[in-house]
PDB file of all heavy atoms in Angstrom:
ATOM      1  N   GLY N  42      27.372-101.801  13.786  1.00  0.00           N
ATOM      2  CA  GLY N  42      28.376-102.756  13.350  1.00  0.00           C
ATOM      3  C   GLY N  42      29.251-103.276  14.472  1.00  0.00           C
ATOM      4  O   GLY N  42      30.059-104.184  14.270  1.00  0.00           O
ATOM      5  N   GLU N  43      29.105-102.700  15.672  1.00  0.00           N
ATOM      6  CA  GLU N  43      29.920-103.162  16.793  1.00  0.00           C
ATOM      7  C   GLU N  43      29.661-104.639  17.047  1.00  0.00           C
ATOM      8  O   GLU N  43      28.517-105.094  17.001  1.00  0.00           O
ATOM      9  CB  GLU N  43      29.635-102.356  18.061  1.00  0.00           C
ATOM     10  CG  GLU N  43      30.519-102.750  19.231  1.00  0.00           C
ATOM     11  CD  GLU N  43      31.999-102.677  18.893  1.00  0.00           C
ATOM     12  OE1 GLU N  43      32.527-101.555  18.782  1.00  0.00           O
ATOM     13  OE2 GLU N  43      32.634-103.748  18.732  1.00  0.00           O
ATOM     14  N   GLY N  44      30.755-105.361  17.318  1.00  0.00           N
ATOM     15  CA  GLY N  44      30.654-106.791  17.566  1.00  0.00           C
ATOM     16  C   GLY N  44      30.865-107.628  16.317  1.00  0.00           C
ATOM     17  O   GLY N  44      30.832-108.854  16.372  1.00  0.00           O
ATOM     18  N   TYR N  45      31.096-106.955  15.187  1.00  0.00           N
ATOM     19  CA  TYR N  45      31.302-107.641  13.913  1.00  0.00           C
ATOM     20  C   TYR N  45      32.530-107.085  13.200  1.00  0.00           C
ATOM     21  O   TYR N  45      32.941-105.953  13.444  1.00  0.00           O
ATOM     22  CB  TYR N  45      30.094-107.454  12.985  1.00  0.00           C
ATOM     23  CG  TYR N  45      28.850-108.091  13.501  1.00  0.00           C
ATOM     24  CD1 TYR N  45      27.993-107.393  14.349  1.00  0.00           C
ATOM     25  CD2 TYR N  45      28.533-109.403  13.177  1.00  0.00           C
ATOM     26  CE1 TYR N  45      26.846-107.980  14.842  1.00  0.00           C
ATOM     27  CE2 TYR N  45      27.383-110.000  13.672  1.00  0.00           C
ATOM     28  CZ  TYR N  45      26.555-109.280  14.504  1.00  0.00           C
ATOM     29  OH  TYR N  45      25.424-109.870  14.998  1.00  0.00           O
ATOM     30  N   VAL N  46      33.073-107.884  12.301  1.00  0.00           N
ATOM     31  CA  VAL N  46      34.097-107.426  11.373  1.00  0.00           C
ATOM     32  C   VAL N  46      33.608-107.762   9.971  1.00  0.00           C
ATOM     33  O   VAL N  46      32.821-108.682   9.781  1.00  0.00           O
ATOM     34  CB  VAL N  46      35.479-108.080  11.621  1.00  0.00           C
ATOM     35  CG1 VAL N  46      36.068-107.596  12.935  1.00  0.00           C
ATOM     36  CG2 VAL N  46      35.403-109.593  11.590  1.00  0.00           C
ATOM     37  N   ARG N  47      34.077-106.994   9.003  1.00  0.00           N
ATOM     38  CA  ARG N  47      33.722-107.260   7.609  1.00  0.00           C
ATOM     39  C   ARG N  47      34.956-107.779   6.894  1.00  0.00           C
ATOM     40  O   ARG N  47      36.039-107.203   6.986  1.00  0.00           O
ATOM     41  CB  ARG N  47      33.212-106.007   6.916  1.00  0.00           C
ATOM     42  CG  ARG N  47      32.612-106.324   5.552  1.00  0.00           C
ATOM     43  CD  ARG N  47      32.031-105.118   4.907  1.00  0.00           C
ATOM     44  NE  ARG N  47      33.076-104.404   4.197  1.00  0.00           N
ATOM     45  CZ  ARG N  47      32.852-103.477   3.285  1.00  0.00           C
ATOM     46  NH1 ARG N  47      31.624-103.119   2.992  1.00  0.00           N
ATOM     47  NH2 ARG N  47      33.841-102.869   2.693  1.00  0.00           N
ATOM     48  N   ILE N  48      34.788-108.879   6.184  1.00  0.00           N
ATOM     49  CA  ILE N  48      35.881-109.518   5.466  1.00  0.00           C
ATOM     50  C   ILE N  48      35.563-109.425   3.978  1.00  0.00           C
ATOM     51  O   ILE N  48      34.524-109.899   3.526  1.00  0.00           O
ATOM     52  CB  ILE N  48      36.014-110.995   5.880  1.00  0.00           C
ATOM     53  CG1 ILE N  48      36.224-111.094   7.392  1.00  0.00           C
ATOM     54  CG2 ILE N  48      37.145-111.673   5.118  1.00  0.00           C
ATOM     55  CD1 ILE N  48      36.037-112.496   7.947  1.00  0.00           C
ATOM     56  N   SER N  49      36.454-108.808   3.236  1.00  0.00           N
ATOM     57  CA  SER N  49      36.267-108.690   1.799  1.00  0.00           C
ATOM     58  C   SER N  49      36.750-109.962   1.111  1.00  0.00           C
ATOM     59  O   SER N  49      37.803-110.499   1.434  1.00  0.00           O
ATOM     60  CB  SER N  49      37.065-107.495   1.266  1.00  0.00           C
ATOM     61  OG  SER N  49      36.993-107.472  -0.146  1.00  0.00           O
ATOM     62  N   LEU N  50      35.968-110.428   0.157  1.00  0.00           N
ATOM     63  CA  LEU N  50      36.334-111.608  -0.632  1.00  0.00           C
ATOM     64  C   LEU N  50      36.691-111.211  -2.059  1.00  0.00           C
ATOM     65  O   LEU N  50      36.591-112.005  -2.976  1.00  0.00           O
ATOM     66  CB  LEU N  50      35.177-112.604  -0.639  1.00  0.00           C
ATOM     67  CG  LEU N  50      34.724-113.093   0.732  1.00  0.00           C
ATOM     68  CD1 LEU N  50      33.529-114.022   0.592  1.00  0.00           C
ATOM     69  CD2 LEU N  50      35.855-113.786   1.459  1.00  0.00           C
ATOM     70  N   CYS N  51      37.157-109.976  -2.216  1.00  0.00           N
ATOM     71  CA  CYS N  51      37.420-109.418  -3.539  1.00  0.00           C
ATOM     72  C   CYS N  51      38.892-109.509  -3.935  1.00  0.00           C
ATOM     73  O   CYS N  51      39.427-108.613  -4.578  1.00  0.00           O
ATOM     74  CB  CYS N  51      36.959-107.970  -3.586  1.00  0.00           C
ATOM     75  SG  CYS N  51      35.213-107.799  -3.254  1.00  0.00           S
ATOM     76  N   LEU N  52      39.526-110.572  -3.539  1.00  0.00           N
ATOM     77  CA  LEU N  52      40.927-110.802  -3.888  1.00  0.00           C
ATOM     78  C   LEU N  52      41.034-112.115  -4.643  1.00  0.00           C
ATOM     79  O   LEU N  52      40.128-112.947  -4.585  1.00  0.00           O
ATOM     80  CB  LEU N  52      41.774-110.878  -2.615  1.00  0.00           C
ATOM     81  CG  LEU N  52      41.908-109.585  -1.824  1.00  0.00           C
ATOM     82  CD1 LEU N  52      42.552-109.854  -0.482  1.00  0.00           C
ATOM     83  CD2 LEU N  52      42.731-108.581  -2.605  1.00  0.00           C
ATOM     84  N   PRO N  53      42.156-112.319  -5.318  1.00  0.00           N
ATOM     85  CA  PRO N  53      42.349-113.613  -5.981  1.00  0.00           C
ATOM     86  C   PRO N  53      42.286-114.765  -4.972  1.00  0.00           C
ATOM     87  O   PRO N  53      42.648-114.601  -3.799  1.00  0.00           O
ATOM     88  CB  PRO N  53      43.740-113.503  -6.601  1.00  0.00           C
ATOM     89  CG  PRO N  53      43.971-112.030  -6.747  1.00  0.00           C
ATOM     90  CD  PRO N  53      43.250-111.392  -5.586  1.00  0.00           C
ATOM     91  N   GLU N  54      41.845-115.919  -5.427  1.00  0.00           N
ATOM     92  CA  GLU N  54      41.650-117.072  -4.555  1.00  0.00           C
ATOM     93  C   GLU N  54      42.895-117.414  -3.740  1.00  0.00           C
ATOM     94  O   GLU N  54      42.797-117.731  -2.557  1.00  0.00           O
ATOM     95  CB  GLU N  54      41.225-118.276  -5.383  1.00  0.00           C
ATOM     96  CG  GLU N  54      40.934-119.491  -4.537  1.00  0.00           C
ATOM     97  CD  GLU N  54      40.486-120.687  -5.351  1.00  0.00           C
ATOM     98  OE1 GLU N  54      40.131-120.526  -6.534  1.00  0.00           O
ATOM     99  OE2 GLU N  54      40.493-121.792  -4.787  1.00  0.00           O
ATOM    100  N   GLY N  55      44.056-117.331  -4.343  1.00  0.00           N
ATOM    101  CA  GLY N  55      45.289-117.653  -3.633  1.00  0.00           C
ATOM    102  C   GLY N  55      45.526-116.745  -2.434  1.00  0.00           C
ATOM    103  O   GLY N  55      45.969-117.203  -1.379  1.00  0.00           O
ATOM    104  N   ARG N  56      45.238-115.466  -2.587  1.00  0.00           N
ATOM    105  CA  ARG N  56      45.403-114.516  -1.475  1.00  0.00           C
ATOM    106  C   ARG N  56      44.394-114.814  -0.370  1.00  0.00           C
ATOM    107  O   ARG N  56      44.706-114.712   0.814  1.00  0.00           O
ATOM    108  CB  ARG N  56      45.220-113.076  -1.957  1.00  0.00           C
ATOM    109  CG  ARG N  56      46.233-112.572  -2.953  1.00  0.00           C
ATOM    110  CD  ARG N  56      47.583-112.183  -2.377  1.00  0.00           C
ATOM    111  NE  ARG N  56      47.550-111.322  -1.237  1.00  0.00           N
ATOM    112  CZ  ARG N  56      47.628-109.993  -1.243  1.00  0.00           C
ATOM    113  NH1 ARG N  56      47.738-109.343  -2.383  1.00  0.00           N
ATOM    114  NH2 ARG N  56      47.616-109.311  -0.115  1.00  0.00           N
ATOM    115  N   LEU N  57      43.170-115.163  -0.744  1.00  0.00           N
ATOM    116  CA  LEU N  57      42.151-115.488   0.257  1.00  0.00           C
ATOM    117  C   LEU N  57      42.535-116.749   1.030  1.00  0.00           C
ATOM    118  O   LEU N  57      42.363-116.809   2.247  1.00  0.00           O
ATOM    119  CB  LEU N  57      40.786-115.669  -0.403  1.00  0.00           C
ATOM    120  CG  LEU N  57      40.170-114.405  -0.997  1.00  0.00           C
ATOM    121  CD1 LEU N  57      38.909-114.747  -1.776  1.00  0.00           C
ATOM    122  CD2 LEU N  57      39.878-113.383   0.088  1.00  0.00           C
ATOM    123  N   ARG N  58      43.071-117.748   0.337  1.00  0.00           N
ATOM    124  CA  ARG N  58      43.511-118.971   1.018  1.00  0.00           C
ATOM    125  C   ARG N  58      44.645-118.668   1.993  1.00  0.00           C
ATOM    126  O   ARG N  58      44.668-119.166   3.110  1.00  0.00           O
ATOM    127  CB  ARG N  58      43.958-120.019   0.011  1.00  0.00           C
ATOM    128  CG  ARG N  58      42.816-120.642  -0.736  1.00  0.00           C
ATOM    129  CD  ARG N  58      43.313-121.775  -1.643  1.00  0.00           C
ATOM    130  NE  ARG N  58      42.235-122.301  -2.437  1.00  0.00           N
ATOM    131  CZ  ARG N  58      41.352-123.185  -2.003  1.00  0.00           C
ATOM    132  NH1 ARG N  58      41.430-123.641  -0.776  1.00  0.00           N
ATOM    133  NH2 ARG N  58      40.393-123.621  -2.792  1.00  0.00           N
ATOM    134  N   GLU N  59      45.574-117.820   1.572  1.00  0.00           N
ATOM    135  CA  GLU N  59      46.684-117.435   2.445  1.00  0.00           C
ATOM    136  C   GLU N  59      46.164-116.724   3.694  1.00  0.00           C
ATOM    137  O   GLU N  59      46.594-117.014   4.813  1.00  0.00           O
ATOM    138  CB  GLU N  59      47.657-116.528   1.696  1.00  0.00           C
ATOM    139  CG  GLU N  59      48.816-116.063   2.544  1.00  0.00           C
ATOM    140  CD  GLU N  59      49.733-115.103   1.819  1.00  0.00           C
ATOM    141  OE1 GLU N  59      49.677-115.011   0.580  1.00  0.00           O
ATOM    142  OE2 GLU N  59      50.508-114.437   2.510  1.00  0.00           O
ATOM    143  N   ALA N  60      45.236-115.810   3.506  1.00  0.00           N
ATOM    144  CA  ALA N  60      44.658-115.099   4.644  1.00  0.00           C
ATOM    145  C   ALA N  60      43.954-116.073   5.581  1.00  0.00           C
ATOM    146  O   ALA N  60      44.069-115.971   6.805  1.00  0.00           O
ATOM    147  CB  ALA N  60      43.685-114.016   4.162  1.00  0.00           C
ATOM    148  N   GLY N  61      43.224-117.026   5.012  1.00  0.00           N
ATOM    149  CA  GLY N  61      42.539-118.030   5.832  1.00  0.00           C
ATOM    150  C   GLY N  61      43.513-118.847   6.658  1.00  0.00           C
ATOM    151  O   GLY N  61      43.269-119.115   7.838  1.00  0.00           O
ATOM    152  N   GLU N  62      44.623-119.213   6.060  1.00  0.00           N
ATOM    153  CA  GLU N  62      45.636-119.977   6.804  1.00  0.00           C
ATOM    154  C   GLU N  62      46.234-119.140   7.932  1.00  0.00           C
ATOM    155  O   GLU N  62      46.463-119.628   9.033  1.00  0.00           O
ATOM    156  CB  GLU N  62      46.736-120.466   5.859  1.00  0.00           C
ATOM    157  CG  GLU N  62      46.293-121.572   4.935  1.00  0.00           C
ATOM    158  CD  GLU N  62      45.792-122.798   5.684  1.00  0.00           C
ATOM    159  OE1 GLU N  62      46.408-123.189   6.691  1.00  0.00           O
ATOM    160  OE2 GLU N  62      44.762-123.353   5.258  1.00  0.00           O
TER     161      GLU N  62
END
Side-chain angles (χ1 to χ4, degrees):
E43 183 55 73
Y45 295 88
V46 292
R47 190 176 85 164
I48 303 166
S49 174
L50 302 177
C51 300
L52 292 170
E54 183 179 345
R56 296 283 311 266
L57 292 173
R58 287 185 185 279
E59 179 183 344
E62 288 301 318

